[in-house]
Structure formats: C-alpha cells, structure tokens
Amino acid sequence: MRTLIIFNPTAGHAEQLEAELEAAAQVWREQGWTVELQPTSGPGDGRRLARQAATNGYELVVAAGGDGTINEVVNGLAGSQTMLATLPLGTMNVWARELGLPLQPRAAAQTMLAWAPRAIDLGRAGDRYFLLMAGIGFDAAITANVRPDEKRRFGALAYVARGIEEVMRIRGTRARILLDGRPIKARVLMIVIGNSQLYGGLVKITHRASIDDGLLDVCVIKGDNGINAIGHLIAILRRRFSLNPDIAYYRAHSIEVITRPPLPVQVDGDPIGTTPMRFSVVPSAIRALLPPDLPDDLIQQPPPSARRWPQRLLAWLRRRRVEE
C-alpha cells in the first residue's frame, strides 16, 4: 500500500518523534508497503499535504499527531478515495481512543494491519469538516485560551487550568437552535455536536452517536453560571446526565446555532470562529481504516464481508450439491 505519514513535528516529545514514526513505518514496510514521512511546517499544511497525496494516488494517508493534525488531514482527504488512519502522538488522541488503538506508534501500526477501510460520515461547521465533534461556548472558550506551549508542557492539565479560570466567568447565553429547521430556544452554557461518541478522551457526551448513520448528535447544556456548569460536569462524569433536565439531547442532519452575544466555536479541538454558524452531516464523506470489532452503537452498517455472508453460504451449498 502506498502510504504517506503526515506528522506534526511539535506534537508530543519532539526528540523521540522521528524514531517512533520510523519504527511504525518499518512495521508496514515489512508487509510490502511503500511508506514516506512528511512533516508539517505550520497551520493548514496538513490539509494541503493530504489533498496533494490524494491527487497523487496515495492509497493511505496517516495523520501522526494530535486531533488537530487529524482534522487537517481529514479536510484534505474528504471526498477522495484515499484512506485515513492515525498514529497517536498528541495530547488527547481522542480518535485513537475511540477506536481502541494503542497509544504507542509501533504497536498502533501493528494493530492496524488487521483493520479494513470503511466509509464514514463527517460533520461540517461552516466550510470546515470535523471527524469528532464541534463545541460551542464553554469548551470552545477553554480551547481558544490554551497556548500550544502549554499543551506541550502540561498536556491535559493545561485544559483543566484554563477550565477553572473559565468557570469563574461563564454566564448563560441566549441561543436559538434550528434542528432540521425546528427551532429551540434556551439559555446555554455549551453545545456539543458529535459525529462520534468520545469527548476529550474521557467521557461520552454524545453517547448515542454513530459514525455512519447520516446524523449528528446534539447535546445542549443549559444554565446561567459557573455553578450550573460544575453541577452539569459532575453529572456528565458520573454518566447521569440523561436524568438532568438542563441537559437536552437531539439528533439532526443540519443544525444552525444563533446566539446573543456570539459564542466561540471549536472543531476537533481547534478554534474556528464564533456563532452564528451552520453545522451539517456529510454522509460517507471519507474512507477510514477501522477495527473489525467496533461497538454496534458506534457503527451502524455491517462491514461488506458481513453483508455478503448469505451469498457466500448459498454459493457453498451449491458447491456441496454439485459435489454430491
């Protein structure tokens, strides 16, 4: 398989990065793959390199870095036949955790040898695709305030520190949300629009989401202040938020969020602007390498091999009758 590894040279521990990637690449080369490594040089470079790789006929592009690197590669591959995979090197590695991928690159490369390509959905926020989720309000404000050097030095703790600061000043914001044209009004602290389930590598806020059902899951977290936010966070961590009347759950093909004042928006951990913004699902927008044993609720459509088993059984019975 002709493969390009696009890696973020600032992700994780830079001094170990190239050695880890070479070890992963060697696993694939031993299987006869052609593997090349290409570093990114700045924001937007992952998207450009991925699009170029798809144009040049690469069969697989591997995003090596955090979820931001994956998001850039996704935006370069969307709509093409080139497959997506990841080698986890970043702070949270949510997509890798969602798929149960080992967080050590060589072990991840070995594991993916048994995986197969599947078409999955993407979300779109404005003109930006997202693989995991879009966050509006509280979490997007935290994301916007965490500096790259803080992420490298402190990892997830950088988000915790900024979260404590943000919870002291957060206030509920009037929002009008259109779900496939149906209006909902609420005073919100945060809205999560999920294409997948796992949020931040820790909890499943959009816990009913499937990556191939042609829908986005919407979790609206209501409230007036930081005290409400803390209570909702505890409910989410205890997995009891479905019982909380201030946390509403919906599913839709398209979502439009209008707030006063505007709220920040992030996708897959990267700030992209403010409301108002329109979000939509793009069914089967990308092909990804996926494990054969994903939970039934995360993936709806059976794999091609499963869909063909009746035909294979009939063919076997016909052969048996001929032999008899």
Side-chain angles (χ1 to χ4, degrees), residues 1-2 9 29 69 72-73 75 96 101 122 137 158 161 176 207 229 256 262 269 299-300 302 304 307 316 323:
M1 191 168 349
R2 191 179 179 205
R29 287 173 182 141
T69 302
E72 287 203 2
V73 169
N75 276 270
L101 189 66
L122 293 176
R176 186 169 185 261
H207 58 288
E256 188 171 358
I299 198 114
Q300 295 290 305
R307 291 198 295 269
W316 179 81
E323 291 170 0

Side-chain angles (χ1 to χ4, degrees), residues 15-320:
E15 64 276 7
Q16 301 173 2
L17 185 63
E18 195 151 353
E20 290 180 347
L21 291 179
E22 281 294 344
Q26 188 57 32
V27 169
W28 293 332
R29 287 173 182 141
E30 289 171 0
Q31 301 298 315
W33 298 18
T34 301
V35 184
E36 302 168 44
L37 276 69
Q38 179 67 58
T40 58
S41 57
D45 209 29
R47 178 177 183 170
R48 178 185 64 81
L49 292 169
R51 183 181 292 127
Q52 190 175 64
T55 301
N56 292 340
Y58 282 82
E59 296 166 88
L60 176 67
V61 171
V62 181
D67 297 306
T69 302
I70 297 173
N71 181 269
E72 287 203 2
V73 169
V74 161
N75 276 270
L77 295 183
S80 76
Q81 290 300 303
T82 301
M83 293 178 289
L84 167 75
T86 183
L87 289 173
L89 293 171
T91 305
M92 306 304 292
N93 301 305
V94 177
W95 181 240
R97 294 176 191 274
E98 185 83 83
L99 301 182
L101 189 66
L103 299 183
Q104 199 280 329
R106 190 180 189 283
Q110 188 70 46
T111 297
M112 280 189 281
L113 289 174
W115 291 12
R118 296 279 300 274
I120 63 172
D121 304 338
L122 293 176
R124 186 160 53 199
D127 60 357
R128 178 82 169 260
Y129 291 101
F130 60 90
L131 176 64
L132 303 170
M133 53 81 201
I136 302 156
F138 179 60
D139 69 330
I142 295 170
T143 300
N145 288 324
V146 175
R147 299 192 309 269
D149 64 303
E150 291 177 330
K151 285 199 291 185
R152 286 194 296 271
R153 289 179 62 193
F154 304 114
L157 289 177
Y159 291 92
V160 174
R162 293 297 184 186
I164 293 170
E165 292 178 4
E166 192 61 34
V167 84
M168 302 300 292
R169 55 176 175 255
I170 188 173
R171 295 293 181 269
T173 301
R174 287 183 296 168
R176 186 169 185 261
I177 306 165
L178 298 173
L179 301 164
D180 291 335
R182 179 168 61 99
I184 293 168
K185 292 183 178 181
R187 183 172 290 273
V188 305
L189 297 170
M190 183 168 109
I191 302 169
V192 177
I193 300 173
N195 183 50
S196 62
Q197 296 180 4
L198 196 59
Y199 178 90
L202 299 172
V203 295
K204 293 186 177 183
I205 294 182
T206 49
H207 58 288
R208 301 175 196 162
S210 298
I211 56 178
D212 69 342
D213 64 351
L215 291 166
L216 293 173
D217 287 42
V218 185
C219 186
V220 179
I221 302 174
K222 308 171 189 177
D224 294 314
N225 51 48
I227 300 299
N228 298 148
I230 292 171
H232 298 338
L233 177 61
I234 292 171
I236 289 169
L237 291 174
R238 295 179 64 197
R239 300 183 182 181
R240 297 179 62 85
F241 57 94
S242 59
L243 305 176
N244 189 324
D246 284 337
I247 301 179
Y249 200 100
Y250 309 95
R251 309 179 91 184
H253 300 89
S254 67
I255 305 102
E256 188 171 358
V257 179
I258 305 157
T259 66
R260 188 175 298 175
L263 288 177
V265 180
Q266 60 90 7
V267 295
D268 294 347
D270 282 348
I272 63 164
T274 61
T275 56
M277 192 171 291
R278 182 180 174 85
F279 306 83
S280 59
V281 66
V282 187
S284 302
I286 196 167
R287 298 174 72 229
L289 274 185
L290 299 180
D293 54 353
L294 279 175
D296 292 341
D297 60 345
L298 184 61
I299 198 114
Q300 295 290 305
Q301 301 299 323
S305 58
R307 291 198 295 269
R308 288 197 299 263
W309 75 263
Q311 292 90 333
R312 292 205 303 268
L313 177 60
L314 288 172
W316 179 81
L317 289 172
R318 291 192 193 101
R319 288 196 301 271
R320 291 280 295 175

